[in-house]
Amino acid sequence: MSERRRVVELLPYDLEWKEEFAKIKTMIDSYIGDLILRIEHIGSTAVEGLAAKPVIDIDVVIESYDIFPKIIECLEQEGYEHEGNLGVEGREVFKRRCDDGLMNYHLYVCPKDGKGYLEHIAFRDYLRENTKAREEYEVLKYKLAEAYRDDRDSYCNKKSEFVESILERTIYHQEKE
């Protein structure tokens, strides 16, 4: 089923999301742990107190793209398909081809200095540290989920302005000075 047709479902923050991330992290680490730097829980499920779609977002961080062919090979052996960067620089997407019995998740492989990874971490950390921004983002998400209930693409695209404003305050702030 395409992302566009799936219903946008937001749930209040759930402590189980941390536990689910830990399970997925352990599994991924068993496949490629010797090749990577770390595995990060990103996205709204990684921000305590923030409502989110019940999907864990994960960044697998690598030193550089030099190791990437080996990552693809290992993950393909474990039932993942490399889908490319899907238009986001510095973030490679992997899709699970079979049910692993875990909560739904998105798996990204990113170089440690890649734009995708740096933006994910900056946004997550800002929301973790700023209650007001976290609350504003949650209100926006509920509003958009209602307006675009059957259109995930529009739901995601309409959040972009808010996300970009946070990135301007964080990692891109120094570039303008």
Side-chain angles (χ1 to χ4, degrees), residues 13 17-18 21 40-59 91 106 108 116-117 119-128 134 137 141 155 159 163:
Y13 181 79
W17 293 340
K18 283 183 182 181
F21 166 72
E40 294 275 359
H41 187 184
I42 58 161
S44 294
T45 60
V47 179
E48 208 165 305
L50 181 61
K53 295 188 310 287
V55 178
I56 305 290
D57 290 308
I58 299 169
D59 276 357
R91 181 200 82 177
H106 295 147
Y108 308 110
Y117 171 68
E119 289 182 353
H120 290 163
I121 295 303
F123 186 67
R124 177 201 69 190
D125 290 352
Y126 189 86
L127 291 179
R128 283 179 171 175
R134 183 172 57 247
Y137 189 47
K141 289 173 64 164
Y155 166 81
K159 294 186 304 180
V163 172

Side-chain angles (χ1 to χ4, degrees), residues 18-171:
K18 283 183 182 181
E19 295 170 22
E20 288 298 313
F21 166 72
K23 291 176 193 174
I24 298 165
K25 179 180 178 181
T26 298
M27 181 184 66
I28 299 298
D29 192 57
S30 75
Y31 302 154
I32 56 174
D34 58 332
L35 300 171
I36 64 174
L37 299 175
R38 65 191 153 276
I39 301 171
E40 294 275 359
H41 187 184
I42 58 161
S44 294
T45 60
V47 179
E48 208 165 305
L50 181 61
K53 295 188 310 287
V55 178
I56 305 290
D57 290 308
I58 299 169
D59 276 357
V60 172
V61 186
I62 57 177
E63 181 67 35
S64 72
Y65 274 109
D66 294 343
I67 194 74
F68 191 62
K70 183 68 175 164
I71 297 284
I72 293 173
E73 178 186 328
C74 291
L75 288 176
E76 284 181 348
Q77 289 174 1
E78 298 299 337
Y80 292 87
E81 179 181 341
H82 178 224
E83 296 189 312
N85 70 10
L86 301 183
V88 178
E89 177 187 338
R91 181 200 82 177
E92 299 292 329
V93 179
F94 285 82
K95 181 178 182 178
R96 187 75 164 163
R97 291 190 306 254
C98 57
D99 184 9
D100 54 24
L102 298 170
M103 184 173 168
N104 287 338
Y105 60 93
H106 295 147
L107 182 64
Y108 308 110
V109 174
C110 310
K112 69 178 182 181
D113 56 355
K115 179 181 178 189
Y117 171 68
L118 297 174
E119 289 182 353
H120 290 163
I121 295 303
F123 186 67
R124 177 201 69 190
D125 290 352
Y126 189 86
L127 291 179
R128 283 179 171 175
E129 296 167 9
N130 294 275
T131 304
K132 186 176 189 274
R134 183 172 57 247
E135 290 169 350
E136 288 174 12
Y137 189 47
E138 184 171 81
V139 167
L140 174 65
K141 289 173 64 164
Y142 275 117
K143 179 181 170 185
L144 294 174
E146 186 176 323
Y148 300 101
R149 179 173 165 73
D150 296 315
D151 186 352
R152 278 195 183 198
D153 291 338
S154 292
Y155 166 81
C156 290
N157 290 336
K158 298 290 183 179
K159 294 186 304 180
S160 295
E161 186 177 319
F162 183 89
V163 172
E164 289 168 12
S165 74
I166 299 300
L167 295 175
E168 287 295 323
R169 291 181 225 171
T170 57
I171 60 175

